[in-house]
Amino acid sequence: MKKVRLEEHNEYSFKEAKFDKLFLAVGSCESHGEHLPYGCDSFVSHQIALDLAQRVKNAVVAPPLWFGMSQHYRHQPMCLSLSDDTVIRAVGDLLESAAFWGIRKVLIVNGHDGNIAPIEIAARDFKVRHPDFGLAVLDAWWVTAGNLLPKDTFEVWDGLGHGGEGETSIGLSIFPQLCDMSRAKGDLPEMDANVKLIWNFQELTRFGASGDPTKATAEKGDKMRKVLVDYLVGFIERMDEQNWRYNIKK
């Protein structure tokens, strides 16, 4: 196993490794129902980043950002949330730190829906300031996994939901010792396919989870984890060949 955790390196080993890519996981600390741990989003995004770094060249993984914008999930105990502005500043500052130390390629792996908008703002602003920097974002792994897997993988709501079938499955794959399936329950809200209602989570479920976590299995989680990492390996290798730029067809 390669040593890919930044926090485990020192000044000498970092310079010797000649890393040119940094993977940054962003998560949250909030309820995912009574069956999943508060750190679920950070555990998942960080593990995806670690799995990926084992399979690509010259990549190091930053310690995860354990907090995100979770104000809309604070109706269940407990939630430690940052504001949108703070997430924007934190992500932007970490990108500036990477640039300062000569790392010019960053993949952000996001584990929480509330971070999507602030990460987008931080990334766009940073890219304008650093146009030659290679920057990519996996902003919703739970959607990506569903898109990549066969359509019959999940039983309810395409595996979606906060602490639902998909998220609970990948939890059973990554941190089974922290999952209590005897307490798994969620509600299934009706969502419009084309127009987004802005909600607070108590409008979608009576619990800390939505979707149907009782349908989750470790086997489904293993499949999600594999298909995500396989895809990201191909993406990173392709980006390295293209110098982290789009190929323009003439």
Side-chain angles (χ1 to χ4, degrees), residues 168-210:
T168 301
S169 292
I170 205 167
L172 289 168
S173 174
I174 294 173
F175 44 87
Q177 74 281 5
L178 299 178
C179 301
D180 182 358
M181 293 304 292
S182 72
R183 308 201 67 83
K185 55 183 179 290
D187 281 325
L188 190 64
E190 288 188 14
M191 308 290 281
D192 192 278
N194 299 305
V195 182
K196 180 191 295 183
L197 279 173
I198 302 302
W199 42 262
N200 289 316
F201 199 50
Q202 63 264 36
E203 299 175 62
L204 306 185
T205 176
R206 297 164 293 170
F207 313 111
S210 60

Side-chain angles (χ1 to χ4, degrees), residues 6-51:
L6 178 61
E7 67 271 22
E8 294 181 352
H9 279 276
N10 57 44
E11 179 182 329
Y12 175 78
S13 66
F14 179 84
K15 289 188 292 187
E16 287 293 301
K18 295 181 171 58
F19 295 118
D20 67 352
K21 289 179 285 290
L22 175 73
F23 300 155
L24 172 63
V26 187
S28 71
C29 185
E30 64 192 18
S31 172
H32 289 77
E34 295 182 351
H35 64 294
L36 290 180
Y38 291 136
C40 176
D41 294 340
S42 303
F43 289 137
V44 172
S45 56
H46 192 227
Q47 190 61 56
I48 291 170
L50 292 171
D51 289 348

Side-chain angles (χ1 to χ4, degrees), residues 1-136:
M1 296 281 285
K2 295 187 292 183
K3 186 161 72 171
V4 297
R5 293 174 180 258
L6 178 61
E7 67 271 22
E8 294 181 352
H9 279 276
N10 57 44
E11 179 182 329
Y12 175 78
S13 66
F14 179 84
K15 289 188 292 187
E16 287 293 301
K18 295 181 171 58
F19 295 118
D20 67 352
K21 289 179 285 290
L22 175 73
F23 300 155
L24 172 63
V26 187
S28 71
C29 185
E30 64 192 18
S31 172
H32 289 77
E34 295 182 351
H35 64 294
L36 290 180
Y38 291 136
C40 176
D41 294 340
S42 303
F43 289 137
V44 172
S45 56
H46 192 227
Q47 190 61 56
I48 291 170
L50 292 171
D51 289 348
L52 177 60
Q54 287 294 333
R55 292 181 53 188
V56 299
K57 296 178 181 178
N58 306 116
V60 67
V61 181
L65 185 58
W66 287 96
F67 308 102
M69 204 301 286
S70 300
Q71 301 283 9
H72 50 315
Y73 286 104
R74 62 182 178 176
H75 71 295
Q76 296 286 88
M78 74 169 296
C79 169
L80 295 177
S81 178
L82 305 178
S83 68
D84 283 313
D85 288 345
T86 301
V87 176
I88 292 168
R89 287 290 301 273
V91 172
D93 286 351
L94 292 171
L95 291 173
E96 290 288 353
S97 295
F100 181 85
W101 290 109
I103 291 179
R104 311 299 300 175
K105 304 169 184 176
V106 171
L107 172 69
I108 299 172
V109 182
N110 175 45
H112 169 58
D113 70 318
N115 297 333
I116 293 173
I119 288 174
E120 175 79 8
I121 293 169
R124 292 288 182 188
D125 287 350
F126 179 84
K127 182 67 174 180
V128 169
R129 295 193 302 271
H130 301 270
D132 295 330
F133 200 94
L135 180 58

